[in-house]
Amino acid sequence: MSRNINKEQLAEVIEQKLAAYFAATPLITSLQRGRWALTTVAIKEFISRLGRDLEFEVSASGCSNAGQEWLYDMVWYEVADGYMTRLALAGECELTSPQLPVDDDFTKLVQARADVRLWISAPKNREIADTHLANCKRYAATFPGAMPGDTYVLVSCDWTDKITIVERFVVGQEALAN
């Protein structure tokens, strides 16, 4: 299946599956109890299973049945003749409240040549979440290596107001989103 799914379809699947996961998972409760590391692993396990279900090779630190982390917290990729031929997903999951204007790990994603870049963060409140997401979008769109069509799925788990936002952002479509 992975070879037959294009970037737009992949982003849609990721966005839908993560929205359902975060709607059904008591992430906010875990965060409030200080279980940051366990919660991060649970999220990465879910994303790793999704990648394998889509028939990608998967690497993610701390996850069962996934190769070791390299550069990004999570990656999905394809290999042919011993060479990586596609980087389908590059993801970062940082559940401490993000640094402003953008978290250091988000800066790794803007340079990734992945079909989809996944960013998961946990701001302290809706105001920080809104500011952080706006800054991420601005940075993604203005990064000198950005290309029209660069696709992001942004997840923001606001642990004070107990709101999770899952949204797609595509470079070059900023005016359409506003």
Side-chain angles (χ1 to χ4, degrees):
M1 176 179 191
S2 64
R3 298 194 194 290
N4 298 325
I5 190 168
N6 67 36
K7 177 170 55 174
E8 291 78 20
Q9 293 167 325
L10 184 61
E12 185 173 333
V13 168
I14 293 167
E15 187 178 15
Q16 290 174 355
K17 296 290 186 179
L18 285 175
Y21 173 78
F22 285 108
T25 304
L27 172 70
I28 304 304
T29 303
S30 296
L31 292 177
Q32 288 175 328
R33 292 186 183 148
R35 295 179 170 160
W36 303 94
L38 293 175
T39 303
T40 299
V41 170
I43 293 167
K44 291 193 303 186
E45 287 280 359
F46 173 80
I47 294 166
S48 293
R49 280 191 306 275
L50 178 58
R52 286 191 300 277
D53 289 348
L54 294 171
E55 300 178 4
F56 289 108
E57 300 292 323
V58 174
S59 289
S61 63
C63 294
S64 58
N65 297 318
Q68 295 196 349
E69 172 185 345
W70 49 275
L71 189 55
Y72 309 102
D73 289 345
M74 306 159 274
V75 293
W76 299 349
Y77 59 99
E78 293 177 347
V79 175
D81 298 323
Y83 295 100
M84 181 177 22
T85 57
R86 179 182 185 189
L87 183 58
L89 176 130
E92 287 289 324
C93 181
E94 299 303 325
L95 296 184
T96 55
S97 195
Q99 303 166 12
L100 295 176
V102 294
D103 191 276
D104 289 343
D105 281 339
F106 183 82
T107 64
K108 292 193 288 186
L109 291 179
V110 297
Q111 54 79 40
R113 295 304 339 139
D115 292 346
V116 177
R117 296 153 189 86
L118 173 63
W119 174 248
I120 302 171
S121 64
K124 293 178 182 175
N125 59 49
R126 184 64 187 254
E127 182 181 348
I128 293 173
D130 290 344
T131 300
H132 181 66
L133 289 175
N135 289 343
C136 288
K137 292 173 189 177
R138 186 176 312 110
Y139 185 53
T142 60
F143 178 70
M147 299 178 69
D150 283 354
T151 301
Y152 294 78
V153 173
L154 306 168
V155 180
S156 179
C157 305
D158 165 356
W159 49 275
T160 300
D161 298 330
K162 299 181 182 179
I163 298 168
T164 297
I165 300 165
V166 180
E167 65 179 85
R168 189 177 337 169
F169 174 75
V170 179
V171 171
Q173 295 182 359
E174 298 86 45
L176 300 175
N178 295 329

